[in-house]
Amino acid sequence: MSDIKAAASLDLRGVVCPINFVKAKLKLDMMETGEVLELVLDSGEPIQNVPKSIKEEGHKILDVKKEEGHFRLKIQKG
Amino acid sequence: MTDHFIEDKSTKVAVNLEGMEPKVDFNDLKTGGFIKQRQKDLFAVRLRCPGGRMSTEKLLEISKIAHKYSKKGVVHFSFRQSLEILYVDYKEFNSIVVELENIGQKVASCGPRVRVPTACGGCEYNPNGLTDTQKMSDMVDKKFFGTRTPHKFKTSFSGCPIDCARTKEMDLGFQGVVEPVWDEGPCTGCTICSEACKEDAIASHPESGKPIFDPKKCLYCGDCIRACPTEAWKPKRYGHIARVGGRHGRHPLEAIEVCKFLPDEKVPDAIHKTVEWYNANGRRGERIGLVLKRVGIKNYLDFMEPVFKAGSAPDWECAPQGVKP
Ligand code: HEM
Ligand code: HEM
Ligand code: SF4
Ligand code: SF4
Ligand code: SF4
């Protein structure tokens, strides 16, 4: 799963809630349905909140990788 | 003790202050809502706004009325979500009531009866919400508002365990919950659920990353369900935690949890029967929390059993699930 090709990538480390979600949303809005966005999110609040909101907006989380102090997600635009 | 409110005092007191029709019959106002202010001749008029919700159309009309009658041109948002029009001259009760009635706005309650219910936004627009708190508070307002009780009887609805509507300090409060169930099939071991759970009820298995679940810590908030990317966590049932006997004020009491996962459709029965028990056991001026202390919670629970058996006992917990540590 980790070798899914991402059309775009966004490193949101150090970006607080809910600005991180808004940035991800703006990016996804510019992409085509079915395209994949790679997101990097801090542990703690960002990883607690952003995946929920992404699901609520109808996108699909294809892959999640835990790295040191952060997570790398592959999001497919819904 | 509510003599200071304008209440029914057996005789009909019809006032016709300025020859206006229809007359204000103070028996119609017996549920109160007119509160004497410290300033001479002036009263606060407390409006009935169940759940703190109002259409913008009505709000516009109320604004006009408030602007016309408030001698200071102010309103106050009360702590129980009612809009209070302040500085209203009692000589104008007649016309303000008529004008409010014309736009379909009722006045709130004081005294020993079921009060206007309060509620948070609930699941309608709040992402945390698990129950339709607004629908429930509307139901309570329509079915139970003004029902006589030995003392005041306050209800509220919170959509989730964050409990913004403070069900723990109500005479009878209902707080939304969801039971999470886990299915190993779709789980990829991503560990997001253990990050999402704020109660430490989910740990991640060091090798597989799959959830290790501790039912004792779970508050039934559903964060794990919302966060899981693969729907491995799913909702099994929604309902309310019912709490009874709380109050605020000088001597606060914390309400006791009496039922878990009470379904929506049993909430009216729970209120109806609780009020019945309260009226049968309470003394005049005694809040239900004190009645429970005097008579004993067991007496209440036995009485409520036919209703509460639709949910689970307060000490019920989720079945073990997830992987072994
Ligand atoms: C102009 C005078 C007064 C006004 C406007 C007034 C108003 C109120 C109001 C608005 C409440 C709260 C009701 C609610 O939560 O909806 C209340 C409660 C109460 N008032 Fe008064 N009050 C007045 C005088 C008094 C006096 C003189 C006494 C006692 C001698 C008194 C005793 C109480 C008590 C015991 C409660 C109930 C508190 C509780 O158990 O939660 N009040 N009053
Ligand atoms: C001039 C006198 C008083 C005025 C104008 C007044 C007004 C109010 C108002 C407007 C509220 C809030 C209702 C809401 O947020 O919707 C309230 C709540 C309350 N009042 Fe008073 N009050 C007065 C006197 C009293 C007295 C004398 C007592 C007690 C002896 C009292 C006890 C309470 C309690 C306990 C609450 C909160 C009840 C609850 O949420 O459980 N008040 N009062
Ligand atoms: S109690 Fe829960 S659902 Fe209601 S407003 Fe608070 S967070 Fe939202
Ligand atoms: S429902 Fe229970 S396990 Fe799931 S996030 Fe809430 S407290 Fe944690
Ligand atoms: S249950 Fe869902 S969130 Fe938790 S580890 Fe499995 S896939 Fe991830």
Side-chain angles (χ1 to χ4, degrees), chain B residues 149-214:
Chain B
T149 43
H151 197 351
K152 60 176 77 163
F153 191 82
K154 297 186 178 183
T155 57
S156 81
F157 294 87
S158 285
C160 81
I162 296 173
D163 198 14
C164 295
R166 304 185 178 187
T167 61
K168 296 178 188 78
E169 34 186 80
M170 295 299 139
D171 295 284
L172 187 59
F174 298 89
Q175 174 227 292
V177 276
V178 60
E179 180 182 346
V181 279
W182 183 73
D183 174 11
E184 179 147 27
C187 177
T188 58
C190 74
T191 74
I192 284 189
C193 55
S194 86
E195 297 281 333
C197 177
K198 298 179 180 81
E199 302 304 321
D200 266 334
I202 303 177
S204 295
H205 192 276
E207 270 117 54
S208 69
K210 291 181 179 178
I212 300 164
F213 176 69
D214 180 355

Side-chain angles (χ1 to χ4, degrees), chain A residues 45-64:
Chain A
E45 283 212 356
I47 196 67
Q48 290 180 347
N49 295 320
V50 177
K52 283 192 277 190
S53 306
I54 285 183
K55 276 176 64 189
E56 271 154 17
E57 301 250 327
H59 309 298
K60 205 166 151 54
I61 301 173
L62 298 179
D63 185 47
V64 182

Side-chain angles (χ1 to χ4, degrees), chain B residues 201-243:
Chain B
I202 303 177
S204 295
H205 192 276
E207 270 117 54
S208 69
K210 291 181 179 178
I212 300 164
F213 176 69
D214 180 355
K216 288 207 163 26
K217 291 183 177 161
C218 181
L219 287 185
Y220 316 104
C221 69
D223 279 347
C224 49
I225 302 168
R226 277 189 297 280
C228 174
T230 66
E231 321 289 324
W233 283 109
K234 279 198 261 316
K236 183 170 178 193
R237 56 173 175 164
Y238 292 92
H240 306 260
I241 287 184
R243 299 191 165 97

Side-chain angles (χ1 to χ4, degrees), chain A residues 35-53:
Chain A
E35 278 188 332
V36 175
L37 170 68
E38 183 187 63
L39 271 192
V40 186
L41 288 170
D42 285 320
S43 298
E45 283 212 356
I47 196 67
Q48 290 180 347
N49 295 320
V50 177
K52 283 192 277 190
S53 306

Side-chain angles (χ1 to χ4, degrees), chain B residues 177-313:
Chain B
V177 276
V178 60
E179 180 182 346
V181 279
W182 183 73
D183 174 11
E184 179 147 27
C187 177
T188 58
C190 74
T191 74
I192 284 189
C193 55
S194 86
E195 297 281 333
C197 177
K198 298 179 180 81
E199 302 304 321
D200 266 334
I202 303 177
S204 295
H205 192 276
E207 270 117 54
S208 69
K210 291 181 179 178
I212 300 164
F213 176 69
D214 180 355
K216 288 207 163 26
K217 291 183 177 161
C218 181
L219 287 185
Y220 316 104
C221 69
D223 279 347
C224 49
I225 302 168
R226 277 189 297 280
C228 174
T230 66
E231 321 289 324
W233 283 109
K234 279 198 261 316
K236 183 170 178 193
R237 56 173 175 164
Y238 292 92
H240 306 260
I241 287 184
R243 299 191 165 97
V244 72
R247 69 167 184 183
H248 204 60
R250 287 207 224 193
H251 304 283
L253 284 175
E254 189 169 320
I256 309 161
E257 201 174 310
V258 283
C259 184
K260 265 199 174 84
F261 291 96
L262 187 71
D264 264 9
E265 64 275 13
K266 290 291 173 189
V267 171
D269 295 350
I271 298 172
H272 183 89
K273 254 190 121 55
T274 298
V275 165
E276 196 183 329
W277 183 87
Y278 185 24
N279 278 327
N281 291 280
R283 296 175 181 155
R284 195 159 181 265
E286 191 181 32
R287 292 285 284 267
I288 192 169
L290 297 178
V291 187
L292 286 162
K293 284 196 171 173
R294 184 169 53 77
V295 178
I297 184 79
K298 192 174 173 306
N299 183 303
Y300 171 77
L301 288 176
D302 288 348
F303 186 77
M304 296 301 292
E305 203 267 341
V307 179
F308 287 163
K309 72 175 185 214
S312 301

